[in-house]
């Protein structure tokens, strides 16, 4: 079983604690995504697992074997880099075979394993081509084939799709997920793209300042964020300031932006300041609704329409509606907004 266990890991660069006491367990066969903004420590953590960064404290385990003191080539880990790292002076087959030759695999076995790896990424017959003859998506597949051919216990992805255009990114993330599931590989995936993380992951760890803010399934993190940062970073949200009223046994009324919003459950003591996270899709235009807003801008994005509005106190608000839905509000007009109480998450105000 190739589970990964990270225990109280710390990595520093001078006075910067890029990874600050992180602990996590990545289960066998799951795709575990490290998500966060630039500088949060996700790539440092990934490179520490790979063996490319020194660890200052803590440990990394692959199954029952501690690996943080081993050199990278002894960890049985494959890695797919952001910039592909394809050798321009080698053809596709030789690029894929590079790791096998470094491990002194018998020449008789190399050709067979290279062809198998190319078949897995749907590049059979491309072995004699040169990198300059390949598209960006094909080069990314070559990089994946090169990582797979050594038959690693774990596969690491460092923002592998960031250099591709939007449509190709969507296609390639499906290919990566399909391949990971079909091979039953344990994979760790780094990205700053929230949609990408939600689409392909079994579990997601949201990082901030070298620490993990929350770990859970995409659904758990999106629907039940544990901190305002997670709510704001993953998918975007409307964050409203308010004051909690008295709990009535089923819900807590929160006075915010000239309206009172009922939040299920006991949110806080009466009179306490709170933050309300309301996803754009939890709001809908409705006549006579108590929450009033003025439409600033409407964006038609095909599948959805995004309304940019402003509450009476100037707080910006975003509303998402299905693209085919008719929104009978003109820019500059005031309109009412209804909300789904089940999709509201409350946090204590800092």
């Amino acid at each position: 079983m190739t589970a990964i266990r990270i225990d109280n890991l710390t990595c520093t660069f001078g006075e910067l604690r890029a990874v600050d006491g992180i602990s996590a367990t990545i289960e066998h066969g799951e795709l575990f995504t490290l998500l966060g903004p630039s500088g949060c420590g996700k790539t440092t953590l990934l490179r520490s697992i790979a063996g490319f960064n020194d660890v200052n404290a803590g440990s990394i385990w692959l199954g029952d074997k501690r690996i943080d003191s081993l050199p990278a080539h002894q960890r049985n880990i494959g890695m797919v880099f952001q910039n592909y790292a394809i050798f321009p002076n080698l053809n596709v087959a030789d690029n894929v075979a590079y790791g096998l030759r470094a491990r002194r695999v018998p020449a008789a076995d190399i050709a067979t394993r290279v062809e198998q790896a190319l078949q897995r990424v749907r590049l059979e017959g491309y072995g004699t081509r040169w990198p300059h003859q390949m598209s960006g998506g094909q080069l990314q597949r070559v990089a994946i084939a090169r990582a797979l051919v050594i038959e690693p216990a774990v596969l690491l992805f460092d923002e592998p799709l960031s250099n591709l255009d939007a449509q190709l990114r969507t296609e390639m993330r499906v290919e990566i997920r399909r391949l990971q599931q079909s091979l039953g590989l344990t994979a760790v995936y780094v990205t700053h793209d929230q949609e990408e993380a939600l689409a392909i992951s079994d579990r997601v760890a949201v990082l901030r300042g070298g620490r993990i803010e929350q770990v859970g399934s995409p659904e758990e993190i999106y629907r039940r964020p544990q901190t305002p940062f997670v709510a704001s970073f993953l998918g975007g949200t409307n964050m409203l300031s308010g004051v909690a009223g008295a709990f009535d046994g089923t819900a807590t009324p929160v006075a915010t932006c000239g309206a009172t919003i009922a939040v299920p459950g006991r949110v806080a003591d009466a009179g306490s300041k709170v933050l309300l996270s309301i996803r754009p899709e939890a709001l809908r235009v409705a006549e006579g609704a108590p929450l009033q807003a003025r439409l600033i801008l409407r964006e038609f994005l095909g599948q959805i329409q995004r309304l940019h509005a402003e509450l009476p106190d100037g707080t910006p608000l975003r509303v998402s509606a299905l693209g085919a839905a008719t929104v009978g509000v003109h820019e500059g007009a005031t309109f009412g907004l209804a909300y789904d109480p089940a999709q509201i998450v409350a946090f204590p105000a800092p």
Side-chain angles (χ1 to χ4, degrees):
M1 301 292 284
T2 50
I4 302 170
R5 190 173 83 250
I6 301 165
D7 290 333
N8 200 29
L9 197 73
T10 298
C11 301
T12 62
F13 300 104
E15 296 183 358
L16 174 65
R17 296 172 73 89
V19 174
D20 190 5
I22 284 180
S23 295
T25 299
I26 300 162
E27 302 296 342
H28 172 75
E30 80 170 337
L31 195 156
F32 188 90
T33 294
L34 304 175
L35 174 69
S38 297
C40 71
K42 56 187 184 295
T43 295
T44 300
L45 179 55
L46 189 80
R47 291 177 64 85
S48 298
I49 297 171
F52 300 144
N53 283 344
D54 292 332
V55 172
N56 298 93
S59 59
I60 304 171
W61 298 76
L62 185 56
D64 58 0
K65 182 179 181 181
R66 184 170 178 175
I67 64 170
D68 51 273
S69 61
L70 296 178
H73 67 276
Q74 293 183 12
R75 298 191 182 194
N76 194 23
I77 290 175
M79 186 160 179
V80 180
F81 297 91
Q82 180 178 355
N83 61 356
Y84 317 145
I86 300 298
F87 300 111
N89 59 323
L90 299 179
N91 66 18
V92 168
D94 287 337
N95 264 285
V96 175
Y98 184 84
L100 297 177
R101 294 196 174 101
R103 288 164 173 77
R104 301 186 183 278
V105 173
D109 296 335
I110 289 178
T112 300
R113 289 176 62 174
V114 167
E115 189 57 32
Q116 288 175 343
L118 289 175
Q119 287 175 358
R120 285 173 173 169
V121 297
R122 303 184 186 184
L123 287 179
E124 56 269 27
Y126 282 71
T128 59
R129 294 202 184 186
W130 294 89
H132 71 270
Q133 297 174 314
M134 310 285 280
S135 68
Q138 289 172 332
L139 288 174
Q140 190 57 275
R141 293 185 189 198
V142 173
I144 294 171
R146 184 177 57 191
L148 289 174
V149 78
I150 63 171
E151 299 176 353
V154 173
L155 194 55
L156 309 180
F157 294 90
D158 185 13
E159 304 208 40
L161 308 182
S162 60
N163 291 329
L164 305 180
D165 62 56
Q167 182 174 349
L168 191 53
R169 279 202 306 272
T170 301
E171 294 172 1
M172 281 301 302
R173 77 187 186 202
V174 173
E175 290 291 324
I176 288 173
R177 181 57 162 159
R178 176 195 62 82
L179 187 62
Q180 180 265 335
Q181 288 181 320
S182 66
L183 297 177
L185 278 171
T186 304
V188 185
Y189 193 101
V190 161
T191 184
H192 64 272
D193 187 313
Q194 301 97 319
E195 181 179 299
E196 198 173 295
L198 291 172
I200 68 172
S201 308
D202 291 303
R203 287 191 301 150
V204 178
V206 182
L207 275 69
R208 181 189 188 194
R211 299 183 178 182
I212 292 178
E213 289 257 323
Q214 186 175 348
V215 178
S217 70
E219 291 85 356
E220 288 169 346
I221 290 183
Y222 187 82
R223 294 174 179 167
R224 295 184 293 279
Q226 294 176 354
T227 69
F229 172 79
V230 173
S232 298
F233 186 77
L234 197 72
T237 193
N238 297 298
M239 201 67 72
L240 308 183
S241 300
V243 177
F247 177 59
D248 65 5
T250 58
T252 300
V254 176
T256 178
C257 304
T260 298
I261 294 178
V263 183
R266 185 186 295 276
V267 169
D269 294 335
S272 298
K273 294 182 179 180
V274 296
L275 294 176
L276 299 183
S277 168
I278 308 178
R279 298 287 187 190
E281 67 273 16
L283 295 164
R284 60 182 177 83
V285 177
E287 285 188 32
L291 192 61
Q292 294 290 304
R294 183 171 65 90
L295 183 61
I296 304 299
L297 177 70
R298 175 164 50 189
E299 294 178 285
F300 180 77
L301 303 174
Q303 294 178 333
I304 66 168
Q305 293 183 59
R306 182 175 295 139
L307 309 182
H308 296 264
E310 187 177 82
L311 295 173
D313 66 350
T315 300
L317 198 73
R318 287 176 297 165
V319 182
S320 292
L322 290 176
T326 300
V327 180
V329 182
H330 301 290
E331 292 181 5
T334 298
F335 61 102
L337 284 169
Y339 59 89
D340 179 0
Q343 296 190 54
I344 298 177
V345 181
F347 305 100

